[in-house]
PDB file of all heavy atoms in Angstrom:
ATOM      1  N   PHE A 365       1.114  -4.520 -30.810  1.00  0.00           N
ATOM      2  CA  PHE A 365       2.243  -5.115 -31.420  1.00  0.00           C
ATOM      3  C   PHE A 365       3.081  -4.174 -32.277  1.00  0.00           C
ATOM      4  O   PHE A 365       2.415  -3.174 -32.786  1.00  0.00           O
ATOM      5  CB  PHE A 365       1.849  -6.341 -32.241  1.00  0.00           C
ATOM      6  CG  PHE A 365       1.401  -7.534 -31.404  1.00  0.00           C
ATOM      7  CD1 PHE A 365       0.128  -7.655 -31.034  1.00  0.00           C
ATOM      8  CD2 PHE A 365       2.301  -8.509 -31.043  1.00  0.00           C
ATOM      9  CE1 PHE A 365      -0.275  -8.774 -30.269  1.00  0.00           C
ATOM     10  CE2 PHE A 365       1.960  -9.608 -30.302  1.00  0.00           C
ATOM     11  CZ  PHE A 365       0.668  -9.759 -29.904  1.00  0.00           C
ATOM     12  N   PHE A 366       4.252  -4.488 -32.492  1.00  0.00           N
ATOM     13  CA  PHE A 366       5.129  -3.764 -33.504  1.00  0.00           C
ATOM     14  C   PHE A 366       5.797  -4.862 -34.314  1.00  0.00           C
ATOM     15  O   PHE A 366       6.136  -5.880 -33.738  1.00  0.00           O
ATOM     16  CB  PHE A 366       6.152  -2.884 -32.776  1.00  0.00           C
ATOM     17  CG  PHE A 366       5.660  -1.920 -31.764  1.00  0.00           C
ATOM     18  CD1 PHE A 366       5.437  -2.287 -30.487  1.00  0.00           C
ATOM     19  CD2 PHE A 366       5.283  -0.568 -32.220  1.00  0.00           C
ATOM     20  CE1 PHE A 366       4.898  -1.363 -29.503  1.00  0.00           C
ATOM     21  CE2 PHE A 366       4.767   0.282 -31.346  1.00  0.00           C
ATOM     22  CZ  PHE A 366       4.561  -0.028 -29.972  1.00  0.00           C
ATOM     23  N   PRO A 367       6.158  -4.580 -35.587  1.00  0.00           N
ATOM     24  CA  PRO A 367       5.780  -3.384 -36.388  1.00  0.00           C
ATOM     25  C   PRO A 367       4.412  -3.410 -36.889  1.00  0.00           C
ATOM     26  O   PRO A 367       3.644  -4.399 -36.621  1.00  0.00           O
ATOM     27  CB  PRO A 367       6.865  -3.382 -37.507  1.00  0.00           C
ATOM     28  CG  PRO A 367       7.033  -4.799 -37.711  1.00  0.00           C
ATOM     29  CD  PRO A 367       7.028  -5.449 -36.350  1.00  0.00           C
ATOM     30  N   ALA A 368       4.055  -2.475 -37.717  1.00  0.00           N
ATOM     31  CA  ALA A 368       2.679  -2.382 -38.308  1.00  0.00           C
ATOM     32  C   ALA A 368       2.580  -3.458 -39.426  1.00  0.00           C
ATOM     33  O   ALA A 368       3.582  -3.852 -40.065  1.00  0.00           O
ATOM     34  CB  ALA A 368       2.418  -1.024 -38.825  1.00  0.00           C
ATOM     35  N   PRO A 369       1.371  -3.918 -39.660  1.00  0.00           N
ATOM     36  CA  PRO A 369       1.132  -4.823 -40.854  1.00  0.00           C
ATOM     37  C   PRO A 369       1.541  -4.036 -42.114  1.00  0.00           C
ATOM     38  O   PRO A 369       1.488  -2.843 -42.192  1.00  0.00           O
ATOM     39  CB  PRO A 369      -0.343  -5.061 -40.794  1.00  0.00           C
ATOM     40  CG  PRO A 369      -0.745  -4.763 -39.375  1.00  0.00           C
ATOM     41  CD  PRO A 369       0.132  -3.695 -38.921  1.00  0.00           C
ATOM     42  N   PRO A 370       1.991  -4.768 -43.141  1.00  0.00           N
ATOM     43  CA  PRO A 370       1.957  -6.259 -43.354  1.00  0.00           C
ATOM     44  C   PRO A 370       3.103  -7.012 -42.754  1.00  0.00           C
ATOM     45  O   PRO A 370       3.208  -8.255 -42.866  1.00  0.00           O
ATOM     46  CB  PRO A 370       1.865  -6.417 -44.838  1.00  0.00           C
ATOM     47  CG  PRO A 370       2.704  -5.308 -45.375  1.00  0.00           C
ATOM     48  CD  PRO A 370       2.444  -4.145 -44.395  1.00  0.00           C
ATOM     49  N   ASP A 371       4.045  -6.313 -42.111  1.00  0.00           N
ATOM     50  CA  ASP A 371       5.215  -7.026 -41.486  1.00  0.00           C
ATOM     51  C   ASP A 371       4.725  -7.817 -40.385  1.00  0.00           C
ATOM     52  O   ASP A 371       3.776  -7.484 -39.625  1.00  0.00           O
ATOM     53  CB  ASP A 371       6.252  -6.017 -41.082  1.00  0.00           C
ATOM     54  CG  ASP A 371       6.876  -5.217 -42.186  1.00  0.00           C
ATOM     55  OD1 ASP A 371       7.113  -5.742 -43.265  1.00  0.00           O
ATOM     56  OD2 ASP A 371       7.073  -3.972 -42.084  1.00  0.00           O
ATOM     57  N   PRO A 372       5.437  -8.965 -40.163  1.00  0.00           N
ATOM     58  CA  PRO A 372       5.005  -9.873 -39.064  1.00  0.00           C
ATOM     59  C   PRO A 372       5.325  -9.208 -37.690  1.00  0.00           C
ATOM     60  O   PRO A 372       6.344  -8.600 -37.475  1.00  0.00           O
ATOM     61  CB  PRO A 372       5.844 -11.131 -39.250  1.00  0.00           C
ATOM     62  CG  PRO A 372       7.002 -10.625 -40.061  1.00  0.00           C
ATOM     63  CD  PRO A 372       6.532  -9.557 -40.927  1.00  0.00           C
ATOM     64  N   PRO A 373       4.405  -9.285 -36.739  1.00  0.00           N
ATOM     65  CA  PRO A 373       4.616  -8.654 -35.426  1.00  0.00           C
ATOM     66  C   PRO A 373       5.730  -9.433 -34.666  1.00  0.00           C
ATOM     67  O   PRO A 373       5.748 -10.637 -34.608  1.00  0.00           O
ATOM     68  CB  PRO A 373       3.292  -8.803 -34.719  1.00  0.00           C
ATOM     69  CG  PRO A 373       2.509  -9.894 -35.474  1.00  0.00           C
ATOM     70  CD  PRO A 373       3.038  -9.923 -36.842  1.00  0.00           C
ATOM     71  N   ARG A 374       6.680  -8.632 -34.166  1.00  0.00           N
ATOM     72  CA  ARG A 374       7.740  -9.250 -33.369  1.00  0.00           C
ATOM     73  C   ARG A 374       7.869  -8.788 -31.919  1.00  0.00           C
ATOM     74  O   ARG A 374       8.524  -9.401 -31.120  1.00  0.00           O
ATOM     75  CB  ARG A 374       9.145  -8.986 -34.129  1.00  0.00           C
ATOM     76  CG  ARG A 374       9.239  -9.536 -35.509  1.00  0.00           C
ATOM     77  CD  ARG A 374       9.001 -11.077 -35.523  1.00  0.00           C
ATOM     78  NE  ARG A 374       9.801 -11.809 -34.591  1.00  0.00           N
ATOM     79  CZ  ARG A 374      11.030 -12.248 -34.829  1.00  0.00           C
ATOM     80  NH1 ARG A 374      11.552 -12.003 -35.983  1.00  0.00           N
ATOM     81  NH2 ARG A 374      11.683 -12.957 -33.967  1.00  0.00           N
ATOM     82  N   VAL A 375       7.294  -7.643 -31.630  1.00  0.00           N
ATOM     83  CA  VAL A 375       7.338  -7.049 -30.273  1.00  0.00           C
ATOM     84  C   VAL A 375       5.898  -6.766 -29.728  1.00  0.00           C
ATOM     85  O   VAL A 375       5.113  -6.104 -30.467  1.00  0.00           O
ATOM     86  CB  VAL A 375       8.157  -5.728 -30.303  1.00  0.00           C
ATOM     87  CG1 VAL A 375       8.153  -5.127 -28.928  1.00  0.00           C
ATOM     88  CG2 VAL A 375       9.546  -6.011 -30.782  1.00  0.00           C
ATOM     89  N   GLN A 376       5.603  -7.270 -28.593  1.00  0.00           N
ATOM     90  CA  GLN A 376       4.331  -7.090 -27.996  1.00  0.00           C
ATOM     91  C   GLN A 376       4.511  -6.167 -26.729  1.00  0.00           C
ATOM     92  O   GLN A 376       5.303  -6.509 -25.853  1.00  0.00           O
ATOM     93  CB  GLN A 376       3.518  -8.280 -27.599  1.00  0.00           C
ATOM     94  CG  GLN A 376       2.210  -8.044 -27.024  1.00  0.00           C
ATOM     95  CD  GLN A 376       1.554  -9.278 -26.347  1.00  0.00           C
ATOM     96  OE1 GLN A 376       1.980 -10.422 -26.579  1.00  0.00           O
ATOM     97  NE2 GLN A 376       0.478  -9.112 -25.555  1.00  0.00           N
ATOM     98  N   PHE A 377       3.739  -5.124 -26.655  1.00  0.00           N
ATOM     99  CA  PHE A 377       3.782  -4.348 -25.343  1.00  0.00           C
ATOM    100  C   PHE A 377       2.877  -5.180 -24.377  1.00  0.00           C
ATOM    101  O   PHE A 377       1.755  -5.623 -24.670  1.00  0.00           O
ATOM    102  CB  PHE A 377       3.118  -2.943 -25.582  1.00  0.00           C
ATOM    103  CG  PHE A 377       2.802  -2.239 -24.273  1.00  0.00           C
ATOM    104  CD1 PHE A 377       3.839  -1.823 -23.503  1.00  0.00           C
ATOM    105  CD2 PHE A 377       1.509  -2.150 -23.815  1.00  0.00           C
ATOM    106  CE1 PHE A 377       3.623  -1.206 -22.275  1.00  0.00           C
ATOM    107  CE2 PHE A 377       1.222  -1.500 -22.626  1.00  0.00           C
ATOM    108  CZ  PHE A 377       2.297  -1.036 -21.821  1.00  0.00           C
ATOM    109  N   LEU A 378       3.420  -5.330 -23.108  1.00  0.00           N
ATOM    110  CA  LEU A 378       2.780  -6.170 -22.136  1.00  0.00           C
ATOM    111  C   LEU A 378       2.104  -5.330 -21.048  1.00  0.00           C
ATOM    112  O   LEU A 378       0.875  -5.408 -20.780  1.00  0.00           O
ATOM    113  CB  LEU A 378       3.712  -7.122 -21.511  1.00  0.00           C
ATOM    114  CG  LEU A 378       4.475  -8.058 -22.456  1.00  0.00           C
ATOM    115  CD1 LEU A 378       5.352  -9.006 -21.685  1.00  0.00           C
ATOM    116  CD2 LEU A 378       3.505  -8.866 -23.323  1.00  0.00           C
ATOM    117  N   THR A 379       2.895  -4.483 -20.357  1.00  0.00           N
ATOM    118  CA  THR A 379       2.370  -3.780 -19.174  1.00  0.00           C
ATOM    119  C   THR A 379       3.341  -2.659 -18.821  1.00  0.00           C
ATOM    120  O   THR A 379       4.381  -2.448 -19.512  1.00  0.00           O
ATOM    121  CB  THR A 379       2.165  -4.760 -17.978  1.00  0.00           C
ATOM    122  OG1 THR A 379       1.555  -4.092 -16.890  1.00  0.00           O
ATOM    123  CG2 THR A 379       3.511  -5.314 -17.545  1.00  0.00           C
ATOM    124  N   TRP A 380       3.074  -2.012 -17.708  1.00  0.00           N
ATOM    125  CA  TRP A 380       3.935  -0.915 -17.255  1.00  0.00           C
ATOM    126  C   TRP A 380       3.814  -0.765 -15.752  1.00  0.00           C
ATOM    127  O   TRP A 380       2.962  -1.253 -15.129  1.00  0.00           O
ATOM    128  CB  TRP A 380       3.555   0.485 -17.897  1.00  0.00           C
ATOM    129  CG  TRP A 380       2.196   0.945 -17.625  1.00  0.00           C
ATOM    130  CD1 TRP A 380       1.068   0.589 -18.289  1.00  0.00           C
ATOM    131  CD2 TRP A 380       1.777   1.743 -16.567  1.00  0.00           C
ATOM    132  NE1 TRP A 380      -0.050   1.186 -17.770  1.00  0.00           N
ATOM    133  CE2 TRP A 380       0.408   1.913 -16.585  1.00  0.00           C
ATOM    134  CE3 TRP A 380       2.434   2.342 -15.453  1.00  0.00           C
ATOM    135  CZ2 TRP A 380      -0.334   2.637 -15.683  1.00  0.00           C
ATOM    136  CZ3 TRP A 380       1.731   3.106 -14.612  1.00  0.00           C
ATOM    137  CH2 TRP A 380       0.315   3.237 -14.693  1.00  0.00           C
ATOM    138  N   ALA A 381       4.824  -0.121 -15.202  1.00  0.00           N
ATOM    139  CA  ALA A 381       4.820   0.193 -13.726  1.00  0.00           C
ATOM    140  C   ALA A 381       5.615   1.437 -13.447  1.00  0.00           C
ATOM    141  O   ALA A 381       6.625   1.705 -14.146  1.00  0.00           O
ATOM    142  CB  ALA A 381       5.323  -1.051 -12.874  1.00  0.00           C
ATOM    143  N   SER A 382       5.196   2.169 -12.461  1.00  0.00           N
ATOM    144  CA  SER A 382       5.953   3.319 -12.029  1.00  0.00           C
ATOM    145  C   SER A 382       6.167   3.293 -10.501  1.00  0.00           C
ATOM    146  O   SER A 382       6.866   4.196  -9.988  1.00  0.00           O
ATOM    147  CB  SER A 382       5.183   4.634 -12.352  1.00  0.00           C
ATOM    148  OG  SER A 382       5.142   4.757 -13.781  1.00  0.00           O
ATOM    149  N   GLY A 383       5.548   2.311  -9.780  1.00  0.00           N
ATOM    150  CA  GLY A 383       5.715   2.299  -8.341  1.00  0.00           C
ATOM    151  C   GLY A 383       4.800   1.243  -7.714  1.00  0.00           C
ATOM    152  O   GLY A 383       4.396   0.351  -8.321  1.00  0.00           O
ATOM    153  N   ALA A 384       4.517   1.505  -6.476  1.00  0.00           N
ATOM    154  CA  ALA A 384       3.831   0.521  -5.623  1.00  0.00           C
ATOM    155  C   ALA A 384       2.436   0.247  -6.144  1.00  0.00           C
ATOM    156  O   ALA A 384       1.866  -0.809  -5.983  1.00  0.00           O
ATOM    157  CB  ALA A 384       3.815   0.941  -4.187  1.00  0.00           C
ATOM    158  N   ASP A 385       1.753   1.298  -6.595  1.00  0.00           N
ATOM    159  CA  ASP A 385       0.317   1.247  -7.011  1.00  0.00           C
ATOM    160  C   ASP A 385       0.140   0.116  -8.040  1.00  0.00           C
ATOM    161  O   ASP A 385      -0.814  -0.731  -7.940  1.00  0.00           O
ATOM    162  CB  ASP A 385      -0.219   2.491  -7.557  1.00  0.00           C
ATOM    163  CG  ASP A 385      -0.705   3.395  -6.502  1.00  0.00           C
ATOM    164  OD1 ASP A 385      -0.917   2.941  -5.331  1.00  0.00           O
ATOM    165  OD2 ASP A 385      -0.869   4.586  -6.739  1.00  0.00           O
ATOM    166  N   GLU A 386       0.998   0.062  -9.041  1.00  0.00           N
ATOM    167  CA  GLU A 386       0.760  -0.916 -10.113  1.00  0.00           C
ATOM    168  C   GLU A 386       1.167  -2.317  -9.676  1.00  0.00           C
ATOM    169  O   GLU A 386       0.580  -3.338 -10.118  1.00  0.00           O
ATOM    170  CB  GLU A 386       1.708  -0.558 -11.352  1.00  0.00           C
ATOM    171  CG  GLU A 386       1.308   0.712 -12.012  1.00  0.00           C
ATOM    172  CD  GLU A 386       1.800   1.961 -11.353  1.00  0.00           C
ATOM    173  OE1 GLU A 386       2.907   1.954 -10.836  1.00  0.00           O
ATOM    174  OE2 GLU A 386       1.026   2.931 -11.227  1.00  0.00           O
ATOM    175  N   LEU A 387       2.067  -2.432  -8.776  1.00  0.00           N
ATOM    176  CA  LEU A 387       2.478  -3.696  -8.234  1.00  0.00           C
ATOM    177  C   LEU A 387       1.486  -4.240  -7.166  1.00  0.00           C
ATOM    178  O   LEU A 387       1.095  -5.485  -7.178  1.00  0.00           O
ATOM    179  CB  LEU A 387       3.868  -3.666  -7.583  1.00  0.00           C
ATOM    180  CG  LEU A 387       5.032  -3.335  -8.595  1.00  0.00           C
ATOM    181  CD1 LEU A 387       6.334  -3.092  -7.811  1.00  0.00           C
ATOM    182  CD2 LEU A 387       5.204  -4.580  -9.476  1.00  0.00           C
ATOM    183  N   GLU A 388       1.024  -3.440  -6.306  1.00  0.00           N
ATOM    184  CA  GLU A 388       0.201  -3.852  -5.218  1.00  0.00           C
ATOM    185  C   GLU A 388      -1.244  -3.754  -5.473  1.00  0.00           C
ATOM    186  O   GLU A 388      -2.078  -4.196  -4.606  1.00  0.00           O
ATOM    187  CB  GLU A 388       0.599  -3.041  -3.950  1.00  0.00           C
ATOM    188  CG  GLU A 388       2.059  -3.236  -3.531  1.00  0.00           C
ATOM    189  CD  GLU A 388       2.484  -2.302  -2.447  1.00  0.00           C
ATOM    190  OE1 GLU A 388       1.631  -1.545  -1.918  1.00  0.00           O
ATOM    191  OE2 GLU A 388       3.731  -2.230  -2.124  1.00  0.00           O
ATOM    192  N   GLY A 389      -1.653  -3.188  -6.598  1.00  0.00           N
ATOM    193  CA  GLY A 389      -3.033  -3.091  -6.933  1.00  0.00           C
ATOM    194  C   GLY A 389      -3.844  -2.214  -5.972  1.00  0.00           C
ATOM    195  O   GLY A 389      -4.893  -2.640  -5.492  1.00  0.00           O
ATOM    196  N   GLY A 390      -3.327  -1.052  -5.748  1.00  0.00           N
ATOM    197  CA  GLY A 390      -4.059  -0.077  -4.910  1.00  0.00           C
ATOM    198  C   GLY A 390      -5.484   0.261  -5.385  1.00  0.00           C
ATOM    199  O   GLY A 390      -5.773   0.264  -6.540  1.00  0.00           O
ATOM    200  N   ARG A 391      -6.392   0.378  -4.430  1.00  0.00           N
ATOM    201  CA  ARG A 391      -7.809   0.498  -4.750  1.00  0.00           C
ATOM    202  C   ARG A 391      -8.162   1.919  -5.163  1.00  0.00           C
ATOM    203  O   ARG A 391      -9.279   2.166  -5.688  1.00  0.00           O
ATOM    204  CB  ARG A 391      -8.626   0.040  -3.538  1.00  0.00           C
ATOM    205  CG  ARG A 391      -8.584  -1.381  -3.364  1.00  0.00           C
ATOM    206  CD  ARG A 391      -9.661  -1.853  -2.401  1.00  0.00           C
ATOM    207  NE  ARG A 391      -9.473  -1.397  -1.029  1.00  0.00           N
ATOM    208  CZ  ARG A 391      -8.919  -2.160  -0.143  1.00  0.00           C
ATOM    209  NH1 ARG A 391      -8.497  -3.352  -0.399  1.00  0.00           N
ATOM    210  NH2 ARG A 391      -8.880  -1.704   1.099  1.00  0.00           N
ATOM    211  N   GLY A 392      -7.293   2.916  -4.855  1.00  0.00           N
ATOM    212  CA  GLY A 392      -7.664   4.280  -5.283  1.00  0.00           C
ATOM    213  C   GLY A 392      -8.374   5.108  -4.088  1.00  0.00           C
ATOM    214  O   GLY A 392      -8.774   4.591  -3.119  1.00  0.00           O
ATOM    215  N   SER A 393      -8.475   6.401  -4.433  1.00  0.00           N
ATOM    216  CA  SER A 393      -8.953   7.318  -3.407  1.00  0.00           C
ATOM    217  C   SER A 393     -10.446   7.071  -3.065  1.00  0.00           C
ATOM    218  O   SER A 393     -10.888   7.261  -1.976  1.00  0.00           O
ATOM    219  CB  SER A 393      -8.803   8.782  -3.882  1.00  0.00           C
ATOM    220  OG  SER A 393      -9.384   8.957  -5.104  1.00  0.00           O
ATOM    221  N   PHE A 394     -11.302   6.700  -4.095  1.00  0.00           N
ATOM    222  CA  PHE A 394     -12.709   6.488  -3.861  1.00  0.00           C
ATOM    223  C   PHE A 394     -12.878   5.330  -2.860  1.00  0.00           C
ATOM    224  O   PHE A 394     -13.707   5.386  -1.919  1.00  0.00           O
ATOM    225  CB  PHE A 394     -13.452   6.297  -5.138  1.00  0.00           C
ATOM    226  CG  PHE A 394     -14.921   6.075  -4.910  1.00  0.00           C
ATOM    227  CD1 PHE A 394     -15.706   7.116  -4.466  1.00  0.00           C
ATOM    228  CD2 PHE A 394     -15.523   4.901  -5.147  1.00  0.00           C
ATOM    229  CE1 PHE A 394     -17.087   6.952  -4.255  1.00  0.00           C
ATOM    230  CE2 PHE A 394     -16.871   4.703  -4.894  1.00  0.00           C
ATOM    231  CZ  PHE A 394     -17.652   5.730  -4.438  1.00  0.00           C
ATOM    232  N   ALA A 395     -12.185   4.222  -3.130  1.00  0.00           N
ATOM    233  CA  ALA A 395     -12.283   3.132  -2.210  1.00  0.00           C
ATOM    234  C   ALA A 395     -11.857   3.428  -0.810  1.00  0.00           C
ATOM    235  O   ALA A 395     -12.438   3.018   0.173  1.00  0.00           O
ATOM    236  CB  ALA A 395     -11.514   1.892  -2.745  1.00  0.00           C
ATOM    237  N   THR A 396     -10.818   4.260  -0.741  1.00  0.00           N
ATOM    238  CA  THR A 396     -10.332   4.775   0.619  1.00  0.00           C
ATOM    239  C   THR A 396     -11.398   5.496   1.291  1.00  0.00           C
ATOM    240  O   THR A 396     -11.638   5.300   2.530  1.00  0.00           O
ATOM    241  CB  THR A 396      -9.072   5.537   0.452  1.00  0.00           C
ATOM    242  OG1 THR A 396      -8.056   4.740  -0.224  1.00  0.00           O
ATOM    243  CG2 THR A 396      -8.577   5.962   1.788  1.00  0.00           C
ATOM    244  N   PHE A 397     -12.074   6.353   0.589  1.00  0.00           N
ATOM    245  CA  PHE A 397     -13.181   7.141   1.220  1.00  0.00           C
ATOM    246  C   PHE A 397     -14.358   6.233   1.713  1.00  0.00           C
ATOM    247  O   PHE A 397     -14.858   6.403   2.838  1.00  0.00           O
ATOM    248  CB  PHE A 397     -13.622   8.182   0.126  1.00  0.00           C
ATOM    249  CG  PHE A 397     -14.919   8.830   0.527  1.00  0.00           C
ATOM    250  CD1 PHE A 397     -14.980   9.821   1.575  1.00  0.00           C
ATOM    251  CD2 PHE A 397     -16.162   8.495  -0.042  1.00  0.00           C
ATOM    252  CE1 PHE A 397     -16.180  10.373   1.860  1.00  0.00           C
ATOM    253  CE2 PHE A 397     -17.344   9.050   0.341  1.00  0.00           C
ATOM    254  CZ  PHE A 397     -17.357  10.013   1.277  1.00  0.00           C
TER     255      PHE A 397
END
């Protein structure tokens, strides 16, 4: 959360994405192997 205490939190970080992996939940190279 932002800002830091003692101010009341107003912004929460939720998640991020850069491409198909984050959206489609790719299993990664080990699972592929």
